[in-house]
Each structure stands twice: as structure tokens, then as C-alpha cells.
Amino acid sequence: MKLITTEEHISTAYANKAIMDYMKTQPSDPKALQEFGRSFAEGLVAYAVTPEEMQDLDTNRLQYMDKNGIDMQILSYGDASTNPDMLPAEQSIPLTKRINDNIAANVKRHPDRYLGFATLPVSDPKAAAQELKRSVTELGLQGALLLGTARGGHFLDEPQFLPIFEMAAELDVPLYIHPSMPSETIRKAYYSDMNPIGFNAIMATPGWGWHMEAGLHVTRLILSGLFDKFPNLKLISGHWGEFVPYFLERLDDATTPVVGNPLAHPVSYYYKKNVYVTPSGMFTWPQMQLVLTEMGTDHVLWAQDYPYVKGNAEDFLANTTISADDKEKIAHGNIEKLLKLK
């Protein structure tokens, strides 16, 4: 069974250095920053990856793919702790361009093994829209992956970000809404004072917090009327939809009777029509079964979340009880159709 995985991450030494150098110049509480860094390291021990795994695209990653039955990965810059959008625009714009050039060069070097999603300087929406256009029309990338809230904690449904979605709709390419680090305010209010200390960070990030925030992004975009403006716009949401598929009926019940609701359809209509869902390495049958029931097979893509999650991407799907035709759709057919690969 041909397998294309859609959320497979890279980082680069130069991006990590640029962001860490910038962070050192910012006023902060050194003790709080050190404490969070320590708890984050302790909490993420199960997800530990090496810089080599994130940066090597010519040997170990390809060997891993061969060993685990993965024909193609869609590469994206996916290090939430060193998001280029953390930098001011005068730094983030050239940095994202360099990252996208790097992704495109690796795709060109291994065209039968890699595709790519761009990263964007989201906090400068006009520049981000132009970089998306350049990445798709000049570099041959397939869309973009957005790392959570924009610089300053802004959600993507705010009007200033409309150029990004307008460009994605014009180019007819998907945007992958990926989690990122919750703001310090959120971390302190919701995820502090847990014992042992490692729970503070793990619950703020992959244990709970960044999934809730990423799901809220998609929901807010729907409620903003974005898909009435751009009916062909497509989003991808990982980790089985970041909680949203489990609440579609509740969202419909709660939002449909709201006075002044401008939406032409219920929330679930847009979600099932305009959003594609991936597991992001969460290979669990109960969650997959619910998503298939809510979304249908045609809106499920496959993803491993490499190198954070490894192993059984192919075996899990092959051993599910769904039909062979549905397995083929999820393994490669749906993403090939979405990206117009065939």
C-alpha cells in the first residue's frame, strides 16, 4: 500500500540559532524561563529527538521511511519552540524564505520521496501571502503549515490575516493549522503548580494545551465566516482534529441559534466540507473510528509526526477494520487528490 504522510517535520541549525539569539535579547524573568525550560525538557522526555533527526534529509530519514513503508513525506518546519514567527518581521521574513528554499531544495533532490509545505511570516500577513505565492508558484511547494497563534498571541481569524487565506484560496492549496507554544499568560493560568513539575509543561503543550488552542483556531476561522468568503479554501488539522470532531454536534447546537449569526450553514457543514483531519502519530482506533464517523473517509489523511513519533504508521492503518478501498484513500488517494498530484 502506497503511503504518503503529511505532517513530517524538519528544523534547521540556522533558524534555531537565530531564534535563540533573539530570545536572549528580550526582557524576561530568567528564573521563570529557566523553570519552564527545565519542566518542558522533563515532560517531553518521551518525545525527545536529536537535532540530527530534524535536520538530516539524505540518509537516516530515508532509511527510516524505507524501513517503515513510507513512500513519501510532506516536509514542514515543525519546531514549535523555535517558530520563525517569534521574530520581528525584518528577521522572520528572510528567515522563512531561507527555510522554504531549503525545503524546496530537498524536494528537488529527492522528488520521489518528498513534498513540501512552506512556513510563513504570519505576523506580517501581506508578506506571508506573497511568500505563500512564491513558495507555490516558484518553489513548487504544496501549501503551508502555520504554527499556531501569531506573534503577540493573535488568533488567525482577526481581519489582518485575511490576505493569507485569500492567497491560499486563489492558489487552491491547503493550509495545515499546527499547534504552537501557548502564551505565558495561558501557561501560568491553566498549567502551573502541577506535581511533579514536568506536568506543567507537558500539559501546556502536547498533553493538552496546544491541541485545544489549535482546535480553537480552526473553530474561530469557521465562526468568522471565512468559508462563506472562500468556499474552496481547505485546511488540514492534525491530532484527529485537535478535539473539534468530538464536539461538532455541540458546536452546532450552541452556535446555530445565536442572534446575529452570519453563517450560511452550521459549523459542522464547513468542518466536514473544508477541513481534512490527520492522526499526527496518534494511532488509536477509538479516535479514528469517531473521526471516520463524523468526517467520512474522504477527509482523512495519514500523518506520522516524524521525528516526534516513530513506528507503525503503515501497520496500524493496514490492520484497521475499514475496507481496502478506504485504506488506499487514507494512505495516499485523498492527499493526492487534495494536492492535485494525479
Side-chain angles (χ1 to χ4, degrees), residues 194-224:
M194 296 183 187
N195 289 306
I197 191 172
F199 289 157
N200 288 342
I202 204 71
M203 288 302 292
T205 48
W208 188 268
W210 68 20
H211 304 297
M212 294 294 293
E213 188 167 283
L216 183 58
H217 264 291
V218 174
T219 305
R220 288 180 62 135
L221 288 169
I222 292 172
L223 294 174
S224 74

Side-chain angles (χ1 to χ4, degrees), residues 48-67:
V49 298
T50 65
E52 290 75 21
E53 286 179 302
M54 293 290 282
Q55 297 167 22
D56 171 32
L57 293 167
D58 293 314
T59 54
N60 293 340
R61 184 180 296 246
L62 291 172
Q63 291 171 6
Y64 173 85
M65 292 167 62
D66 291 340
K67 183 178 178 181

Side-chain angles (χ1 to χ4, degrees), residues 83 85 96 100 118-122 128-129 131-132 135 144-146 164 175:
N83 180 358
D85 199 49
T96 54
N100 293 334
T119 190
L120 304 177
V122 173
E131 178 57 17
L132 176 60
S135 296
L145 181 139
L146 309 183
I164 300 172
L175 298 174

Side-chain angles (χ1 to χ4, degrees), residues 155-228:
F155 277 88
L156 298 173
D157 62 317
E158 295 180 21
Q160 67 262 31
F161 298 112
L162 201 61
I164 300 172
F165 298 101
E166 185 176 19
M167 182 61 71
E170 179 182 325
L171 297 169
D172 197 17
V173 295
L175 298 174
Y176 202 125
I177 308 298
H178 188 277
S180 190
M181 190 73 73
S183 69
E184 185 178 357
T185 301
I186 294 295
R187 297 199 307 267
K188 285 184 176 179
Y190 291 167
Y191 305 109
S192 60
D193 300 323
M194 296 183 187
N195 289 306
I197 191 172
F199 289 157
N200 288 342
I202 204 71
M203 288 302 292
T205 48
W208 188 268
W210 68 20
H211 304 297
M212 294 294 293
E213 188 167 283
L216 183 58
H217 264 291
V218 174
T219 305
R220 288 180 62 135
L221 288 169
I222 292 172
L223 294 174
S224 74
L226 183 68
F227 296 107
D228 287 331

Side-chain angles (χ1 to χ4, degrees), residues 60-339:
N60 293 340
R61 184 180 296 246
L62 291 172
Q63 291 171 6
Y64 173 85
M65 292 167 62
D66 291 340
K67 183 178 178 181
N68 290 276
I70 299 172
D71 294 276
M72 298 189 78
Q73 286 187 346
I74 302 182
L75 305 175
S76 56
Y77 187 92
D79 189 341
S81 62
T82 56
N83 180 358
D85 199 49
M86 296 165 67
L87 301 176
E90 61 269 20
Q91 296 180 50
S92 67
I93 293 171
L95 181 58
T96 54
K97 288 183 176 181
R98 185 177 177 186
I99 291 170
N100 293 334
D101 288 344
N102 184 61
I103 292 174
N106 282 286
V107 171
K108 186 175 182 179
R109 193 162 59 248
H110 302 287
D112 57 336
R113 306 308 303 273
Y114 297 140
L115 299 168
F117 285 143
T119 190
L120 304 177
V122 173
S123 296
D124 188 327
K126 292 182 179 178
Q130 290 306 306
E131 178 57 17
L132 176 60
K133 183 176 182 179
R134 184 186 80 94
S135 296
V136 172
T137 61
E138 297 181 24
L139 301 182
L141 302 185
Q142 304 292 331
L145 181 139
L146 309 183
L147 285 165
T149 49
R151 178 180 166 87
H154 296 282
F155 277 88
L156 298 173
D157 62 317
E158 295 180 21
Q160 67 262 31
F161 298 112
L162 201 61
I164 300 172
F165 298 101
E166 185 176 19
M167 182 61 71
E170 179 182 325
L171 297 169
D172 197 17
V173 295
L175 298 174
Y176 202 125
I177 308 298
H178 188 277
S180 190
M181 190 73 73
S183 69
E184 185 178 357
T185 301
I186 294 295
R187 297 199 307 267
K188 285 184 176 179
Y190 291 167
Y191 305 109
S192 60
D193 300 323
M194 296 183 187
N195 289 306
I197 191 172
F199 289 157
N200 288 342
I202 204 71
M203 288 302 292
T205 48
W208 188 268
W210 68 20
H211 304 297
M212 294 294 293
E213 188 167 283
L216 183 58
H217 264 291
V218 174
T219 305
R220 288 180 62 135
L221 288 169
I222 292 172
L223 294 174
S224 74
L226 183 68
F227 296 107
D228 287 331
K229 293 185 182 76
F230 307 116
N232 73 316
L233 179 65
K234 306 296 191 303
L235 303 182
I236 305 175
S237 181
H239 307 100
W240 293 126
E242 316 286 9
F243 293 106
V244 178
Y246 314 107
F247 257 68
L248 286 176
E249 288 77 16
R250 179 71 164 180
L251 284 166
D252 285 350
D253 290 344
T255 59
T256 300
V258 170
V259 175
N261 180 352
L263 301 179
H265 304 282
V267 170
S268 63
Y269 170 88
Y270 303 102
Y271 197 86
K272 295 177 182 182
K273 176 178 177 289
N274 297 92
V275 179
Y276 292 75
V277 171
T278 83
S280 304
M282 294 172 56
F283 300 132
T284 49
W285 174 241
Q287 290 171 297
M288 182 176 182
Q289 189 175 30
L290 185 142
V291 168
L292 287 173
T293 300
E294 290 284 1
M295 304 291 294
T297 308
D298 290 345
H299 277 246
V300 177
L301 313 173
W302 212 240
Q304 177 148 48
D305 204 1
Y306 180 89
Y308 301 108
V309 179
K310 302 183 183 74
N312 89 338
E314 181 184 39
D315 291 346
F316 177 86
L317 180 58
N319 291 326
T320 59
T321 58
I322 63 177
S323 71
D325 286 346
D326 285 345
K327 290 176 185 177
E328 293 286 348
K329 284 183 180 181
I330 293 170
H332 65 93
N334 291 339
I335 190 64
E336 288 173 335
K337 183 177 180 181
L338 179 61
L339 302 182

